[in-house]
């Protein structure tokens, strides 16, 4: 559902259009106009408050001291002189370090909301600067951002127009506003429904209309040049619902239903799963995913930290991790887990031994999170990396190694020379670098640590200060990653760089492909339940709605062929699939 106020001659005056990182690149390439600024929400807000450093410092201090703020300082509550000695002032970066005045994405949103709420003059300035502000994918926008434009702007007597574009059925992130119904009901927003669908073939449009939970009913575009039109007629397309007791997706992809599909072409074909965890074994990096997402000792450490904070337990952080566990959790799950680690699982106990005698103040700051591994996933090889990345320095270093190898093999030698530290000055050097790169094909089954040492010793990719600092301060993380085969990282590299057809269902939003295969598997994620979806189970209304929206997003990515696979469904699920897809389009395989 799109929301838009009537806008005329927008290009004749200053206009800002706010997008995601990927959309910024695409729109900037399409439109070249001096009066149009295309930016992300975070950059837009920061660019319009960053000059007011005195007020930023006061605002950040007040938020840190406010009990309902999510912005916290390691020093607890602070006074108004806290930032007096900052040379660079308050800065917006990819990481957060409050004591140095450095904030990141979440803090920019909260601080900007505070600034526009407290200083109506900011609203005047912004309205004078931009007569039109368009916000794309509004449904995933933070409520704090919507407050700025629809509530705080009311304090200004200046005039401008805010346009919200999006679809409430695609609100698949819990931290987004979801819809603007309360602002529509209050009269602050005039709703304009976008009924015409330019992307999907007729059968996908019909399916999407059956899934929608609002009053919007879409129809093919009247534009004969729309992507879903051929010779003035909307494409019919193909939809299928397949089910089987067999969960071997690779075997299923060999059936007649996929005869024309090319799973080697990640630009045309996508295979969608709910989570990265479901993809990791299929894409070939299961051990790395297990380390970063399911480390049992880090889970134990996090439980201990949470218990200390919740119960305000006083401890001596110079005590060992083992001693703190016994002090904090003598008779509960942590103690039982510790017993299990010691007596029942030797592999887990080996992990525990690496940390149990270390001081607790060291252990408590060990960080392992899957975003440190899989952040900044490209949809395909034509996509670009976003600004910055949450990948940790160890993974970044491995990416540098593999990207150097990839550039050489692709004969992109100018880029290769810029990235590598290896100096090529003679014919002999060219032969040497050829031999070094060729050796990587032979050592892919070696450990990650061995490959890093090989790249360093041969001058292909030297260990830098960031890598060395990370390894020194994160011995446990390094000890877990270093013994994994380098082949796993290569598989991770090609997955994240968009060479494979795999994608999560959340990541796919906003993209479109000729062929889309949707695997309906909850992946042990309780926020979604595909059985609820097909049985319309309202036991957990929020889970049903969330699942219906992610399913809607997946189905509407298809420009030609859509196939949905359900493993071992019951009769109720098959009956509902027949209602949605049609009897002729539902097949057991």
């Amino acid at each position: 559902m799109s929301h838009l106020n009537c806008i005329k001659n927008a290009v004749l005056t200053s206009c800002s259009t706010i997008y995601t990182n990927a959309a910024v690149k695409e729109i900037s390439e399409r439109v070249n106009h001096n009066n149009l600024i295309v930016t992300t929400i975070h950059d837009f807000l920061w660019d319009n408050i960053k000059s007011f450093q005195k007020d930023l410092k006061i605002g950040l201090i007040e938020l840190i001291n406010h009990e309902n703020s999510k912005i916290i300082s390691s020093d607890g509550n602070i006074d108004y002189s806290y930032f007096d000695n900052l040379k660079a002032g308050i800065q917006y970066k990819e990481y957060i370090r409050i004591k140095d005045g450095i904030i990141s994405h979440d803090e920019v949103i909260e601080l900007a909301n505070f600034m526009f709420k407290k200083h109506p003059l900011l609203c005047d300035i912004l309205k004078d600067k931009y007569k039109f502000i368009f916000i794309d994918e509004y449904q995933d926008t933070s409520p704090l951002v919507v407050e700025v434009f629809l509530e705080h702007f009311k304090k200004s007597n200046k005039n401008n127009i805010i346009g919200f574009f999006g679809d409430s059925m695609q609100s698949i992130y819990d931290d987004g506003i979801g819809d603007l119904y309360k602002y529509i009901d209050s009269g602050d927003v005039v709703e304009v429904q976008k009924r015409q669908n330019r992307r999907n073939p007729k059968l996908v449009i019909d399916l999407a209309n059956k899934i929608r939970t609002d009053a919007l009913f879409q129809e093919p575009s009247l534009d004969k040049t729309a992507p879903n039109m051929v010779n003035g007629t909307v494409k019919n397309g193909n939809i299928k619902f397949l089910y089987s007791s067999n969960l071997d997706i690779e075997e299923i992809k060999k059936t007649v239903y996929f005869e024309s599909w090319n799973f080697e072409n990640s630009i045309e074909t996508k295979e969608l799963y709910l989570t990265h965890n479901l993809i990791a074994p299929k894409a070939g990096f299961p051990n790395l995913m297990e380390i970063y997402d399911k480390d049992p000792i880090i889970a134990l450490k996090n439980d201990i930290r949470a218990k200390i904070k919740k119960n305000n337990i006083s401890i001596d952080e110079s005590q060992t991790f083992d001693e703190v566990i016994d002090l904090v959790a003598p008779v509960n799950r942590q103690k039982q887990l510790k017993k299990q680690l010691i007596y029942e699982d030797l592999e887990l106990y080996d992990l525990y031994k690496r940390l149990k005698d270390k001081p607790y103040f060291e252990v408590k700051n060990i960080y392992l999170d899957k975003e440190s591994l899989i952040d900044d996933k490209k949809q395909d090889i034509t996509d670009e990396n976003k600004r910055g990345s949450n990948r940790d320095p160890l993974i970044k270093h491995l990416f540098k190694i593999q990207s150097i190898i990839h550039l050489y093999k692709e004969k992109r030698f100018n880029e290769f020379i810029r990235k590598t530290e290896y100096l090529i000055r003679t014919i002999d050097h060219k032969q040497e670098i050829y031999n070094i790169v060729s050796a990587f094909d032979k050592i892919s089954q070696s450990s990650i640590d061995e490959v890093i040492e090989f790249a360093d010793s041969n001058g292909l990719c030297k260990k830098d200060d960031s890598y060395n600092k990370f390894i020194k301060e994160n011995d446990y993380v390094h000890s877990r990653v270093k013994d994994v085969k380098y082949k796993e990282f290569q598989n991770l590299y090609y997955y994240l760089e968009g060479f494979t057809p795999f994608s999560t269902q959340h990541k796919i939003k906003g993209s479109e492909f000729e062929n889309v295969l949707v695997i309906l598997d909850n992946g042990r994620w309780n926020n979604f339940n595909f059985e609820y979806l097909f049985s319309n189970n309202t036991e957990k209304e929020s889970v049903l709605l969330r699942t219906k929206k992610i399913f809607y997003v997946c189905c509407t990515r298809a420009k030609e062929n859509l196939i949905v696979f359900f493993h071992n469904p019951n009769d109720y699920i098959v009956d509902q699939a027949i209602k949605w897809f049609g009897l002729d389009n539902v097949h057991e395989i």
Side-chain angles (χ1 to χ4, degrees), residues 52-70:
F52 306 98
Q53 281 293 324
K54 181 179 178 180
D55 296 305
L56 281 175
K57 291 176 182 178
I58 294 173
L60 188 53
I61 289 168
E62 291 188 9
L63 286 172
I64 289 170
N65 292 337
H66 197 288
E67 61 180 359
N68 293 326
S69 173
K70 294 181 180 179

Side-chain angles (χ1 to χ4, degrees), residues 186-249:
S186 68
D188 291 319
V189 171
V190 176
E191 179 184 22
V192 178
Q193 290 189 341
K194 180 179 177 294
R195 296 185 178 277
Q196 292 190 358
N197 184 314
R198 294 170 51 85
R199 171 194 291 153
N200 303 125
K202 185 178 185 305
L203 288 177
V204 173
I205 294 174
D206 293 343
L207 173 63
N209 283 332
K210 295 172 185 176
I211 300 169
R212 294 192 72 98
T213 59
D214 55 19
L216 181 64
F217 185 88
Q218 288 199 312
E219 54 197 23
S221 171
L222 298 177
D223 181 1
K224 294 182 180 180
T225 64
N228 59 356
M229 303 288 277
V230 176
N231 298 325
T233 304
V234 65
K235 294 189 292 186
N236 200 50
N238 298 284
I239 62 173
K240 294 284 185 292
F241 181 93
L242 307 180
Y243 63 99
S244 171
S245 58
N246 175 23
L247 193 52
D248 188 339
I249 301 300

Side-chain angles (χ1 to χ4, degrees), residues 404-415:
I404 289 171
I405 300 301
H406 180 72
L407 289 171
Y408 185 89
K409 290 186 174 182
E410 290 289 303
K411 302 187 185 306
R412 292 156 61 182
F413 297 123
N414 288 336
E415 295 172 80

Side-chain angles (χ1 to χ4, degrees), residues 108 242 342 410 517 522:
V108 161
L242 307 180
I342 297 173
E410 290 289 303
L517 168 60
N522 301 328

Side-chain angles (χ1 to χ4, degrees), residues 302-314 328:
N302 291 339
D303 283 344
I304 292 295
R305 283 197 70 178
K307 190 173 183 66
I308 290 171
K309 182 177 181 179
K310 179 180 179 181
N311 297 313
N312 198 25
I313 299 174
S314 178
V328 172

Side-chain angles (χ1 to χ4, degrees), residues 3-21:
H3 302 283
L4 172 65
N5 290 68
C6 294
I7 297 171
K8 295 181 180 180
N9 300 324
V11 297
L12 299 182
T13 186
S14 295
C15 172
S16 179
T17 310
I18 305 176
Y19 288 96
T20 60
N21 282 288

Side-chain angles (χ1 to χ4, degrees), residues 570-584:
N570 58 38
D571 291 341
Y572 294 106
I573 293 172
V574 175
D575 288 344
Q576 183 60 54
I578 292 172
K579 292 177 183 177
W580 280 348
F581 288 77
L583 180 61
D584 292 341

